[in-house]
Amino acid sequence: MMTAELTTLSPEDTRRRLADGSAVLVDIREVDEFARRHIPGAISQPLSNWETAHLSVASDRDVIFTCRSGMRTTGACDRLAAHVSGSAYMLEGGIDAWGKMGLPLVVDAKAPLEIMRQVQIAAGLLVLTGALLGYLVSPVWFALSAFVGAGLTFAGVTGFCGMARLLMLAPWNRRAAVV
């Protein structure tokens, strides 16, 4: 199956190619995601750095791209394939499919949750708190939910998430990610 310019490979086909040394695996997720869970031997090259850093994968082997579920890789397949001089593939179903097949993963349960998951949890809790306090205590508390909603809208429009920046300063996120 072709996805733009990346041919999909099953987790088993990917494992076989990695084991025989004919391919290199490039993980395009963010550094915090990679630190928490990745496929052994994968190279971390976050998609967010590809355009600004003008990254390319120079390899005499085939290049297989992966992300968590395959959606990010599918959405960026044209850009990724353009940075590879040889054959480029993608892991079908991403790391989730790899794990479901029982294939090995490097997991660091002590690594903090990914920043975007932290933002989702914090935003959800703040909106819920604002709604409950607005209903039970005073309607003024509804402003908290509105403020969080406005912040998320701003983040979606501009690409700048103030809550993510604040969460990155939290003590549990200061541990250096090992790549």
Side-chain angles (χ1 to χ4, degrees):
M1 175 179 166
M2 281 293 273
T3 303
E5 297 182 40
L6 297 181
T7 303
T8 58
L9 294 175
S10 70
E12 185 55 37
D13 288 338
T14 299
R15 184 204 60 77
R16 211 173 6 261
R17 287 178 185 231
L18 294 174
D20 70 17
S22 65
V24 61
L25 184 66
V26 176
D27 192 321
I28 64 166
R29 296 172 305 139
E30 295 302 313
V31 173
D32 57 342
E33 296 173 276
F34 184 86
R36 190 156 175 88
R37 182 177 75 137
H38 63 271
I39 296 171
I43 299 166
S44 176
Q45 288 192 354
L47 184 60
S48 60
N49 295 341
W50 280 76
E51 297 305 322
T52 57
H54 304 291
L55 293 175
S56 64
V57 181
S59 178
D60 55 345
R61 300 179 285 171
D62 292 340
V63 178
I64 304 170
F65 292 102
T66 191
C67 60
R68 185 182 59 80
S69 67
M71 296 299 292
R72 220 175 312 186
T73 309
T74 301
C77 60
D78 292 333
R79 288 189 296 158
L80 295 170
H83 291 278
V84 176
S85 56
S87 299
Y89 301 88
M90 67 178 274
L91 172 57
E92 184 176 31
I95 293 170
D96 289 348
W98 178 277
K100 285 180 184 171
M101 295 285 297
L103 297 170
L105 287 168
V106 175
V107 178
D108 182 359
K110 293 181 180 180
L113 286 175
E114 298 87 358
I115 288 294
M116 291 320 304
R117 285 188 59 197
Q118 292 181 45
V119 167
Q120 293 165 342
I121 292 167
L125 287 173
L126 286 171
V127 168
L128 182 60
T129 300
L132 286 174
L133 290 174
Y135 179 72
L136 297 172
V137 177
S138 168
V140 171
W141 283 101
F142 287 124
L144 176 61
S145 298
F147 178 73
V148 172
L152 292 173
T153 302
F154 180 79
V157 171
T158 66
F160 174 82
C161 182
M163 188 180 295
R165 297 289 172 121
L166 286 173
L167 285 168
M168 283 187 230
L169 299 174
W172 59 86
N173 287 324
R174 291 190 183 192
R175 186 178 143 214
V178 178
V179 183

